[in-house]
Amino acid sequence: MAAIMHRLSQSCAAFTKPTFKISYHVRCMSNIPESTVYGGPKPQNPDERVTLTTLRTKHRKGEAITMVTAYDYPSAVHLDTAGIDIALVGDSASMVVHGHDTTLPITLEEMLVHCRAVARGAKRPLLVGDLAFGTYESSSQQQAVDTAVRVLKEGGMDAIKLEGGAPSRISAAKHIVEAGIAVMGHVGLTPQAISVLGGFRPQGRNVLSAVKVVETALALQEAGCFSVVLECVPAPVAAAATSVLQVPTIGIGAGPFCSGQVLVYHDLLGMMQHPHHAKVTPKFCKQFAQIGEGINKALSEYRQEVENRSFPGLAYSPYKINTVEVDGFLKELQKMGLDKAATAAAEAAEKVG
């Protein structure tokens, strides 16, 4: 017994040596394939990650910052591969993923699902998650902090974004920053406030509104925000805000004078080809591709090939069973009284060779 305990203690000691790689433990786990693709976050090299320091350096050098929304693993991988600086898990998922007419219906739980998927796919960009409507407006500010904590801890994000404007939201940003969480602000057209704004309407188009955009951006900076999104405001207003702020601005429908730009993934790729979606595609969005046309064409070809039975065909039926096994299989089917199944299997085996 003593000898067995000694050998066990030696084995345990081997596993606790500091030179032992954690990846070895993972590879030895029976439930994880060695060639896993969807195995969760890849090892992250701090030198290759985009951080707030990276953004500050780019801003100081006058280099443009790129941001695109992402909502799932595939889109996150695409952003990662393209070298995009910031992946925003936006509440716009409510519209382009869930099919709602506004951003209001999406819940925190739904946002967390999107956040986790993006975190698994993007290893280079800074990850920013939107706070969903109704999850940070409480006057106590504790709700805002609690929500932001969940977005980081459960969603795997690096920072959060919230829509500014009202004093309570400026205060929420301040409290979240004081809790140790990086915050990106958002002014101009704030989609969560469409009931107050009277719909998706551009802001800053008169003196009072333009001044409010600049003042709100300054207030968000004062609250500790590391960046501010300017949405749907005239270029001169965005230029004024950008020049007065010490943090970078990210424009969307705000002209070319911001520190960086952001677009919705589906919009810039031209994924929504249905007339309804084409009608509501933002005027400021350049479609850098017409991916939707390619998707529609591929789906139509798939449907046609399935209907005329040209797919999958032999080329896409790779799994074989040798003649001996087929004969044994046919006999077993016949023993079971499944003569029709045996005939079908025999005919199929003859056709595939």
Side-chain angles (χ1 to χ4, degrees):
M1 184 65 178
I4 294 175
M5 293 302 294
H6 177 69
R7 291 179 64 183
L8 284 174
S9 64
Q10 284 184 322
S11 298
C12 291
F15 277 83
T16 56
K17 288 181 181 179
T19 56
F20 195 88
K21 294 182 179 179
I22 294 176
S23 60
Y24 180 81
H25 290 282
V26 174
R27 287 173 64 83
C28 287
M29 291 175 66
S30 62
N31 64 332
I32 298 181
E34 290 190 12
S35 60
T36 180
V37 175
Y38 305 107
K42 308 298 184 296
Q44 296 177 338
N45 184 342
D47 298 329
E48 297 176 356
R49 292 296 314 277
V50 174
T51 65
L52 297 191
T53 300
T54 309
L55 299 182
R56 293 187 187 107
T57 300
K58 295 192 73 168
H59 182 229
R60 186 177 67 250
K61 292 181 177 179
E63 299 175 358
I65 296 168
T66 57
M67 182 162 82
V68 178
T69 63
Y71 312 103
D72 54 21
Y73 179 87
S75 58
V77 171
H78 284 306
L79 265 60
D80 193 87
T81 304
I84 300 299
D85 295 319
I86 306 173
L88 170 65
V89 185
D91 59 359
S92 48
S94 178
M95 302 175 71
V96 298
V97 177
H98 295 273
H100 297 295
D101 289 330
T102 72
T103 63
L104 304 184
I106 197 165
T107 66
L108 174 58
E109 300 303 326
E110 290 170 329
M111 285 296 298
L112 289 173
V113 171
H114 291 297
C115 287
R116 286 191 288 268
V118 170
R120 284 190 285 270
K123 59 183 178 180
R124 179 188 177 275
L126 183 78
L127 305 180
V128 180
D130 260 337
L131 297 193
F133 177 71
T135 66
Y136 64 102
E137 292 85 355
S138 173
S139 59
S140 70
Q141 306 306 332
Q142 189 59 48
Q143 180 197 35
V145 174
D146 291 344
T147 300
V149 167
R150 290 192 66 189
V151 171
L152 265 65
K153 292 187 69 173
E154 299 177 36
M157 297 290 99
D158 300 314
I160 65 95
K161 182 174 78 67
L162 57 73
E163 296 185 5
S168 61
R169 298 195 177 194
I170 305 295
S171 179
K174 183 175 185 295
H175 280 78
I176 294 171
V177 171
E178 289 175 349
I181 298 171
V183 177
M184 174 181 282
H186 184 157
V187 301
L189 170 57
T190 47
Q192 291 180 5
I194 59 169
S195 62
V196 175
L197 299 177
F200 294 101
R201 298 180 182 279
Q203 302 298 299
R205 300 181 71 180
N206 59 54
V207 174
L208 290 178
S209 181
V211 169
K212 182 179 179 182
V213 168
V214 175
E215 288 180 338
T216 304
L218 283 168
L220 286 167
Q221 175 181 264
E222 182 66 22
C225 291
F226 70 88
S227 178
V228 177
V229 171
L230 303 175
E231 180 169 358
C232 292
V233 300
V237 178
T242 300
S243 66
V244 75
L245 291 177
Q246 296 178 342
V247 298
T249 57
I250 308 295
I252 176 168
F257 306 111
C258 297
S259 312
Q261 298 291 327
V262 59
L263 283 176
V264 169
Y265 182 84
H266 295 67
D267 290 343
L268 79 88
L269 293 178
M271 292 185 71
M272 301 299 200
Q273 297 295 315
H274 190 279
H276 168 73
H277 295 290
K279 185 174 63 175
V280 297
T281 298
K283 295 178 181 178
F284 57 75
C285 182
K286 175 181 177 179
Q287 292 188 341
F288 289 82
Q290 282 72 49
I291 302 299
E293 292 180 2
I295 292 173
N296 291 340
K297 181 174 181 292
L299 290 173
S300 294
E301 290 179 359
Y302 165 74
R303 175 182 57 80
Q304 291 169 7
E305 290 195 15
V306 170
E307 289 177 348
N308 64 29
R309 299 191 180 281
S310 62
F311 177 82
L314 297 181
Y316 297 97
S317 302
Y319 309 110
K320 308 300 181 183
I321 179 171
N322 63 48
T323 304
V324 174
E325 298 298 334
V326 169
D327 290 341
F329 179 48
L330 298 181
K331 291 177 181 177
E332 291 300 319
L333 289 174
Q334 289 169 343
K335 288 179 183 178
M336 298 166 64
L338 301 176
D339 293 340
K340 185 176 181 181
T343 300
E347 292 176 350
E350 187 176 336
K351 289 179 180 178
V352 299

